[in-house]
mmCIF file of all heavy atoms in Angstrom:
data_model
loop_
_atom_site.group_PDB
_atom_site.id
_atom_site.type_symbol
_atom_site.label_atom_id
_atom_site.label_comp_id
_atom_site.label_asym_id
_atom_site.label_seq_id
_atom_site.Cartn_x
_atom_site.Cartn_y
_atom_site.Cartn_z
ATOM 1 N N MET I 5 99.333 106.867 105.577
ATOM 2 C CA MET I 5 99.803 106.494 106.892
ATOM 3 C C MET I 5 98.712 105.634 107.539
ATOM 4 O O MET I 5 97.537 105.933 107.429
ATOM 5 C CB MET I 5 100.094 107.730 107.727
ATOM 6 C CG MET I 5 100.700 107.396 109.057
ATOM 7 S SD MET I 5 101.223 108.841 109.997
ATOM 8 C CE MET I 5 102.684 109.285 109.110
ATOM 9 N N VAL I 6 99.131 104.603 108.191
ATOM 10 C CA VAL I 6 98.220 103.734 108.939
ATOM 11 C C VAL I 6 98.735 103.632 110.362
ATOM 12 O O VAL I 6 99.901 103.915 110.635
ATOM 13 C CB VAL I 6 98.109 102.324 108.314
ATOM 14 C CG1 VAL I 6 97.496 102.398 106.939
ATOM 15 C CG2 VAL I 6 99.440 101.627 108.268
ATOM 16 N N GLY I 7 97.880 103.229 111.255
ATOM 17 C CA GLY I 7 98.319 103.106 112.636
ATOM 18 C C GLY I 7 97.436 102.181 113.430
ATOM 19 O O GLY I 7 96.400 101.709 112.960
ATOM 20 N N SER I 8 97.899 101.927 114.635
ATOM 21 C CA SER I 8 97.122 101.107 115.556
ATOM 22 C C SER I 8 97.431 101.558 116.972
ATOM 23 O O SER I 8 98.416 102.244 117.225
ATOM 24 C CB SER I 8 97.450 99.627 115.377
ATOM 25 O OG SER I 8 98.793 99.375 115.724
ATOM 26 N N ALA I 9 96.549 101.161 117.878
ATOM 27 C CA ALA I 9 96.737 101.524 119.282
ATOM 28 C C ALA I 9 96.439 100.319 120.154
ATOM 29 O O ALA I 9 95.563 99.515 119.843
ATOM 30 C CB ALA I 9 95.819 102.680 119.661
ATOM 31 N N LEU I 10 97.173 100.215 121.243
ATOM 32 C CA LEU I 10 96.940 99.179 122.244
ATOM 33 C C LEU I 10 96.309 99.863 123.447
ATOM 34 O O LEU I 10 96.863 100.815 123.993
ATOM 35 C CB LEU I 10 98.266 98.521 122.649
ATOM 36 C CG LEU I 10 98.203 97.561 123.834
ATOM 37 C CD1 LEU I 10 97.321 96.358 123.497
ATOM 38 C CD2 LEU I 10 99.600 97.101 124.220
ATOM 39 N N ALA I 11 95.125 99.369 123.826
ATOM 40 C CA ALA I 11 94.414 99.948 124.968
ATOM 41 C C ALA I 11 94.278 98.910 126.065
ATOM 42 O O ALA I 11 94.021 97.740 125.814
ATOM 43 C CB ALA I 11 93.036 100.423 124.542
ATOM 44 N N VAL I 12 94.474 99.356 127.300
ATOM 45 C CA VAL I 12 94.298 98.516 128.489
ATOM 46 C C VAL I 12 93.404 99.298 129.445
ATOM 47 O O VAL I 12 93.681 100.459 129.749
ATOM 48 C CB VAL I 12 95.656 98.198 129.158
ATOM 49 C CG1 VAL I 12 95.448 97.391 130.422
ATOM 50 C CG2 VAL I 12 96.568 97.466 128.195
ATOM 51 N N ASN I 13 92.348 98.652 129.893
ATOM 52 C CA ASN I 13 91.393 99.314 130.794
ATOM 53 C C ASN I 13 90.916 100.644 130.214
ATOM 54 O O ASN I 13 90.857 101.656 130.908
ATOM 55 C CB ASN I 13 91.994 99.519 132.179
ATOM 56 C CG ASN I 13 92.274 98.216 132.876
ATOM 57 O OD1 ASN I 13 91.545 97.247 132.694
ATOM 58 N ND2 ASN I 13 93.327 98.173 133.667
ATOM 59 N N GLU I 14 90.604 100.629 128.910
ATOM 60 C CA GLU I 14 90.085 101.789 128.192
ATOM 61 C C GLU I 14 91.051 102.966 128.131
ATOM 62 O O GLU I 14 90.654 104.106 127.920
ATOM 63 C CB GLU I 14 88.736 102.213 128.776
ATOM 64 C CG GLU I 14 87.677 101.131 128.650
ATOM 65 C CD GLU I 14 86.316 101.558 129.131
ATOM 66 O OE1 GLU I 14 86.105 102.776 129.311
ATOM 67 O OE2 GLU I 14 85.476 100.677 129.328
ATOM 68 N N ARG I 15 92.339 102.722 128.315
ATOM 69 C CA ARG I 15 93.363 103.766 128.175
ATOM 70 C C ARG I 15 94.400 103.314 127.161
ATOM 71 O O ARG I 15 94.849 102.162 127.190
ATOM 72 C CB ARG I 15 94.068 104.045 129.504
ATOM 73 C CG ARG I 15 93.153 104.691 130.497
ATOM 74 C CD ARG I 15 93.909 105.012 131.763
ATOM 75 N NE ARG I 15 93.006 105.642 132.697
ATOM 76 C CZ ARG I 15 93.213 106.841 133.208
ATOM 77 N NH1 ARG I 15 94.287 107.516 132.902
ATOM 78 N NH2 ARG I 15 92.351 107.356 134.043
ATOM 79 N N VAL I 16 94.794 104.222 126.285
ATOM 80 C CA VAL I 16 95.804 103.898 125.278
ATOM 81 C C VAL I 16 97.168 103.847 125.958
ATOM 82 O O VAL I 16 97.570 104.791 126.636
ATOM 83 C CB VAL I 16 95.812 104.943 124.140
ATOM 84 C CG1 VAL I 16 96.952 104.685 123.180
ATOM 85 C CG2 VAL I 16 94.473 104.919 123.410
ATOM 86 N N VAL I 17 97.877 102.722 125.790
ATOM 87 C CA VAL I 17 99.201 102.574 126.389
ATOM 88 C C VAL I 17 100.305 102.539 125.333
ATOM 89 O O VAL I 17 101.477 102.689 125.662
ATOM 90 C CB VAL I 17 99.289 101.313 127.282
ATOM 91 C CG1 VAL I 17 98.364 101.444 128.481
ATOM 92 C CG2 VAL I 17 98.978 100.056 126.498
ATOM 93 N N HIS I 18 99.922 102.351 124.063
ATOM 94 C CA HIS I 18 100.922 102.343 122.992
ATOM 95 C C HIS I 18 100.235 102.664 121.671
ATOM 96 O O HIS I 18 99.132 102.189 121.422
ATOM 97 C CB HIS I 18 101.593 100.974 122.888
ATOM 98 C CG HIS I 18 102.567 100.878 121.757
ATOM 99 N ND1 HIS I 18 103.821 101.424 121.820
ATOM 100 C CD2 HIS I 18 102.454 100.321 120.536
ATOM 101 C CE1 HIS I 18 104.432 101.199 120.668
ATOM 102 N NE2 HIS I 18 103.626 100.535 119.879
ATOM 103 N N MET I 19 100.913 103.473 120.838
ATOM 104 C CA MET I 19 100.414 103.767 119.497
ATOM 105 C C MET I 19 101.568 103.628 118.518
ATOM 106 O O MET I 19 102.719 103.910 118.874
ATOM 107 C CB MET I 19 99.852 105.181 119.415
ATOM 108 C CG MET I 19 98.620 105.394 120.245
ATOM 109 S SD MET I 19 97.981 107.063 120.144
ATOM 110 C CE MET I 19 97.147 106.967 118.569
ATOM 111 N N ALA I 20 101.245 103.194 117.309
ATOM 112 C CA ALA I 20 102.265 103.057 116.269
ATOM 113 C C ALA I 20 101.677 103.497 114.939
ATOM 114 O O ALA I 20 100.520 103.210 114.639
ATOM 115 C CB ALA I 20 102.738 101.611 116.177
ATOM 116 N N PHE I 21 102.475 104.204 114.152
ATOM 117 C CA PHE I 21 102.055 104.676 112.842
ATOM 118 C C PHE I 21 103.120 104.317 111.821
ATOM 119 O O PHE I 21 104.314 104.340 112.122
ATOM 120 C CB PHE I 21 101.848 106.194 112.858
ATOM 121 C CG PHE I 21 100.737 106.611 113.769
ATOM 122 C CD1 PHE I 21 100.990 106.933 115.086
ATOM 123 C CD2 PHE I 21 99.433 106.656 113.312
ATOM 124 C CE1 PHE I 21 99.962 107.307 115.942
ATOM 125 C CE2 PHE I 21 98.397 107.025 114.149
ATOM 126 C CZ PHE I 21 98.661 107.349 115.469
ATOM 127 N N PHE I 22 102.677 103.970 110.615
ATOM 128 C CA PHE I 22 103.588 103.551 109.555
ATOM 129 C C PHE I 22 103.203 104.234 108.257
ATOM 130 O O PHE I 22 102.019 104.365 107.949
ATOM 131 C CB PHE I 22 103.511 102.032 109.339
ATOM 132 C CG PHE I 22 103.699 101.241 110.597
ATOM 133 C CD1 PHE I 22 102.604 100.826 111.337
ATOM 134 C CD2 PHE I 22 104.971 100.924 111.040
ATOM 135 C CE1 PHE I 22 102.769 100.096 112.500
ATOM 136 C CE2 PHE I 22 105.137 100.198 112.219
ATOM 137 C CZ PHE I 22 104.045 99.791 112.942
ATOM 138 N N ARG I 23 104.198 104.613 107.483
ATOM 139 C CA ARG I 23 103.951 105.117 106.132
ATOM 140 C C ARG I 23 103.780 103.917 105.214
ATOM 141 O O ARG I 23 104.489 102.928 105.350
ATOM 142 C CB ARG I 23 105.135 105.934 105.633
ATOM 143 C CG ARG I 23 105.337 107.213 106.381
ATOM 144 C CD ARG I 23 106.552 107.938 105.808
ATOM 145 N NE ARG I 23 106.995 108.964 106.701
ATOM 146 C CZ ARG I 23 106.662 110.245 106.578
ATOM 147 N NH1 ARG I 23 105.910 110.630 105.580
ATOM 148 N NH2 ARG I 23 107.083 111.130 107.447
ATOM 149 N N ILE I 24 102.839 104.006 104.298
ATOM 150 C CA ILE I 24 102.659 102.932 103.334
ATOM 151 C C ILE I 24 102.657 103.514 101.921
ATOM 152 O O ILE I 24 102.327 104.683 101.720
ATOM 153 C CB ILE I 24 101.359 102.135 103.583
ATOM 154 C CG1 ILE I 24 100.132 103.021 103.503
ATOM 155 C CG2 ILE I 24 101.413 101.409 104.907
ATOM 156 C CD1 ILE I 24 98.822 102.255 103.558
ATOM 157 N N THR I 25 103.045 102.697 100.971
ATOM 158 C CA THR I 25 103.077 103.117 99.571
ATOM 159 C C THR I 25 101.710 102.912 98.932
ATOM 160 O O THR I 25 100.854 102.227 99.490
ATOM 161 C CB THR I 25 104.121 102.304 98.788
ATOM 162 O OG1 THR I 25 103.697 100.947 98.754
ATOM 163 C CG2 THR I 25 105.507 102.397 99.424
ATOM 164 N N GLU I 26 101.513 103.478 97.763
ATOM 165 C CA GLU I 26 100.254 103.284 97.036
ATOM 166 C C GLU I 26 100.033 101.800 96.747
ATOM 167 O O GLU I 26 98.915 101.311 96.829
ATOM 168 C CB GLU I 26 100.272 104.086 95.737
ATOM 169 C CG GLU I 26 100.185 105.578 95.941
ATOM 170 C CD GLU I 26 98.880 106.013 96.609
ATOM 171 O OE1 GLU I 26 97.820 105.443 96.280
ATOM 172 O OE2 GLU I 26 98.926 106.919 97.447
ATOM 173 N N ALA I 27 101.091 101.062 96.420
ATOM 174 C CA ALA I 27 100.965 99.633 96.128
ATOM 175 C C ALA I 27 100.500 98.872 97.364
ATOM 176 O O ALA I 27 99.674 97.963 97.271
ATOM 177 C CB ALA I 27 102.294 99.075 95.639
ATOM 178 N N GLU I 28 101.000 99.237 98.531
ATOM 179 C CA GLU I 28 100.595 98.566 99.763
ATOM 180 C C GLU I 28 99.134 98.851 100.091
ATOM 181 O O GLU I 28 98.433 97.996 100.624
ATOM 182 C CB GLU I 28 101.491 98.982 100.928
ATOM 183 C CG GLU I 28 102.894 98.422 100.821
ATOM 184 C CD GLU I 28 103.836 99.007 101.851
ATOM 185 O OE1 GLU I 28 103.743 100.217 102.156
ATOM 186 O OE2 GLU I 28 104.673 98.244 102.357
ATOM 187 N N LYS I 29 98.654 100.045 99.763
ATOM 188 C CA LYS I 29 97.249 100.382 100.002
ATOM 189 C C LYS I 29 96.340 99.440 99.226
ATOM 190 O O LYS I 29 95.299 99.028 99.711
ATOM 191 C CB LYS I 29 96.958 101.816 99.577
ATOM 192 C CG LYS I 29 97.515 102.863 100.496
ATOM 193 C CD LYS I 29 97.159 104.237 99.975
ATOM 194 C CE LYS I 29 97.864 105.328 100.741
ATOM 195 N NZ LYS I 29 97.583 106.654 100.186
ATOM 196 N N ALA I 30 96.727 99.097 98.016
ATOM 197 C CA ALA I 30 95.902 98.259 97.152
ATOM 198 C C ALA I 30 95.934 96.798 97.576
ATOM 199 O O ALA I 30 95.027 96.037 97.253
ATOM 200 C CB ALA I 30 96.367 98.389 95.712
ATOM 201 N N ASP I 31 96.968 96.382 98.309
ATOM 202 C CA ASP I 31 97.140 94.977 98.678
ATOM 203 C C ASP I 31 96.308 94.544 99.879
ATOM 204 O O ASP I 31 96.197 93.362 100.157
ATOM 205 C CB ASP I 31 98.617 94.665 98.979
ATOM 206 C CG ASP I 31 99.460 94.652 97.718
ATOM 207 O OD1 ASP I 31 98.892 94.493 96.624
ATOM 208 O OD2 ASP I 31 100.682 94.801 97.844
ATOM 209 N N GLY I 32 95.755 95.440 100.632
ATOM 210 C CA GLY I 32 95.016 95.060 101.838
ATOM 211 C C GLY I 32 95.957 94.841 103.003
ATOM 212 O O GLY I 32 97.014 95.447 103.084
ATOM 213 N N MET I 33 95.603 93.938 103.890
ATOM 214 C CA MET I 33 96.411 93.695 105.086
ATOM 215 C C MET I 33 97.748 93.048 104.730
ATOM 216 O O MET I 33 97.813 92.188 103.861
ATOM 217 C CB MET I 33 95.658 92.785 106.062
ATOM 218 C CG MET I 33 96.414 92.556 107.361
ATOM 219 S SD MET I 33 95.521 91.511 108.503
ATOM 220 C CE MET I 33 94.522 92.729 109.298
ATOM 221 N N ALA I 34 98.796 93.464 105.420
ATOM 222 C CA ALA I 34 100.123 92.888 105.212
ATOM 223 C C ALA I 34 100.152 91.441 105.675
ATOM 224 O O ALA I 34 99.377 91.029 106.545
ATOM 225 C CB ALA I 34 101.170 93.702 105.979
ATOM 226 N N SER I 35 101.059 90.689 105.115
ATOM 227 C CA SER I 35 101.202 89.293 105.513
ATOM 228 C C SER I 35 101.701 89.196 106.959
ATOM 229 O O SER I 35 102.233 90.158 107.510
ATOM 230 C CB SER I 35 102.197 88.588 104.598
ATOM 231 O OG SER I 35 103.500 89.107 104.825
ATOM 232 N N THR I 36 101.533 88.032 107.541
ATOM 233 C CA THR I 36 101.988 87.818 108.919
ATOM 234 C C THR I 36 103.475 88.105 109.053
ATOM 235 O O THR I 36 103.910 88.757 109.997
ATOM 236 C CB THR I 36 101.696 86.372 109.361
ATOM 237 O OG1 THR I 36 100.312 86.117 109.197
ATOM 238 C CG2 THR I 36 102.095 86.148 110.805
ATOM 239 N N GLY I 37 104.279 87.631 108.102
ATOM 240 C CA GLY I 37 105.723 87.860 108.150
ATOM 241 C C GLY I 37 106.075 89.334 108.070
ATOM 242 O O GLY I 37 106.951 89.819 108.772
ATOM 243 N N ARG I 38 105.364 90.060 107.237
ATOM 244 C CA ARG I 38 105.624 91.497 107.103
ATOM 245 C C ARG I 38 105.252 92.234 108.385
ATOM 246 O O ARG I 38 105.976 93.092 108.860
ATOM 247 C CB ARG I 38 104.833 92.046 105.930
ATOM 248 C CG ARG I 38 104.917 93.527 105.805
ATOM 249 C CD ARG I 38 105.448 93.924 104.511
ATOM 250 N NE ARG I 38 105.641 95.355 104.554
ATOM 251 C CZ ARG I 38 106.079 96.037 103.578
ATOM 252 N NH1 ARG I 38 106.385 95.451 102.468
ATOM 253 N NH2 ARG I 38 106.241 97.324 103.683
ATOM 254 N N ARG I 39 104.103 91.881 108.977
ATOM 255 C CA ARG I 39 103.711 92.521 110.240
ATOM 256 C C ARG I 39 104.694 92.189 111.346
ATOM 257 O O ARG I 39 105.012 93.036 112.184
ATOM 258 C CB ARG I 39 102.287 92.088 110.636
ATOM 259 C CG ARG I 39 101.219 92.652 109.721
ATOM 260 C CD ARG I 39 99.816 92.483 110.261
ATOM 261 N NE ARG I 39 99.523 91.176 110.757
ATOM 262 C CZ ARG I 39 98.965 90.179 110.060
ATOM 263 N NH1 ARG I 39 98.669 90.357 108.796
ATOM 264 N NH2 ARG I 39 98.711 89.028 110.623
ATOM 265 N N ARG I 40 105.211 90.973 111.374
ATOM 266 C CA ARG I 40 106.196 90.569 112.373
ATOM 267 C C ARG I 40 107.451 91.444 112.269
ATOM 268 O O ARG I 40 108.074 91.778 113.271
ATOM 269 C CB ARG I 40 106.559 89.098 112.195
ATOM 270 C CG ARG I 40 107.426 88.550 113.301
ATOM 271 C CD ARG I 40 107.740 87.065 113.108
ATOM 272 N NE ARG I 40 106.558 86.251 112.902
ATOM 273 C CZ ARG I 40 106.345 85.484 111.835
ATOM 274 N NH1 ARG I 40 107.244 85.387 110.873
ATOM 275 N NH2 ARG I 40 105.234 84.781 111.722
ATOM 276 N N GLY I 41 107.809 91.856 111.065
ATOM 277 C CA GLY I 41 108.995 92.685 110.851
ATOM 278 C C GLY I 41 108.871 94.079 111.463
ATOM 279 O O GLY I 41 109.864 94.741 111.696
ATOM 280 N N PHE I 42 107.640 94.546 111.734
ATOM 281 C CA PHE I 42 107.441 95.859 112.343
ATOM 282 C C PHE I 42 107.641 95.856 113.844
ATOM 283 O O PHE I 42 107.737 96.892 114.470
ATOM 284 C CB PHE I 42 106.036 96.391 112.035
ATOM 285 C CG PHE I 42 105.830 96.782 110.603
ATOM 286 C CD1 PHE I 42 104.787 96.224 109.891
ATOM 287 C CD2 PHE I 42 106.651 97.690 109.987
ATOM 288 C CE1 PHE I 42 104.568 96.581 108.560
ATOM 289 C CE2 PHE I 42 106.457 98.053 108.670
ATOM 290 C CZ PHE I 42 105.405 97.500 107.955
ATOM 291 N N ARG I 43 107.676 94.667 114.441
ATOM 292 C CA ARG I 43 107.814 94.590 115.898
ATOM 293 C C ARG I 43 109.185 95.048 116.345
ATOM 294 O O ARG I 43 110.171 94.835 115.684
ATOM 295 C CB ARG I 43 107.576 93.165 116.389
ATOM 296 C CG ARG I 43 106.164 92.715 116.181
ATOM 297 C CD ARG I 43 105.969 91.326 116.708
ATOM 298 N NE ARG I 43 104.638 90.849 116.388
ATOM 299 C CZ ARG I 43 104.278 89.596 116.466
ATOM 300 N NH1 ARG I 43 105.130 88.676 116.866
ATOM 301 N NH2 ARG I 43 103.049 89.239 116.154
ATOM 302 N N VAL I 44 109.209 95.630 117.525
ATOM 303 C CA VAL I 44 110.487 96.107 118.085
ATOM 304 C C VAL I 44 110.948 95.138 119.132
ATOM 305 O O VAL I 44 110.232 94.558 119.858
ATOM 306 C CB VAL I 44 110.312 97.503 118.724
ATOM 307 C CG1 VAL I 44 111.582 97.962 119.380
ATOM 308 C CG2 VAL I 44 109.850 98.472 117.661
#
């Protein structure tokens, strides 16, 4: 599982977590297009 947080004025305002496969762990950072697909 990986995640990220958005902080404003030193306070967390949003957090997101994603499950990743073993293959994704080995690939490093996801491509721009793949990260764009996670947006809501």
Side-chain angles (χ1 to χ4, degrees):
M5 185 174 285
V6 296
S8 65
L10 171 64
V12 177
N13 295 327
E14 298 184 15
R15 292 183 180 238
V16 174
V17 295
H18 176 77
M19 294 180 79
F21 296 92
F22 307 94
R23 293 179 195 263
I24 59 172
T25 65
E26 289 298 321
E28 289 171 322
K29 286 180 189 177
D31 288 339
M33 183 179 274
S35 68
T36 304
R38 174 122 187 181
R39 291 192 313 267
R40 188 179 308 122
F42 290 125
R43 294 181 186 165
V44 176

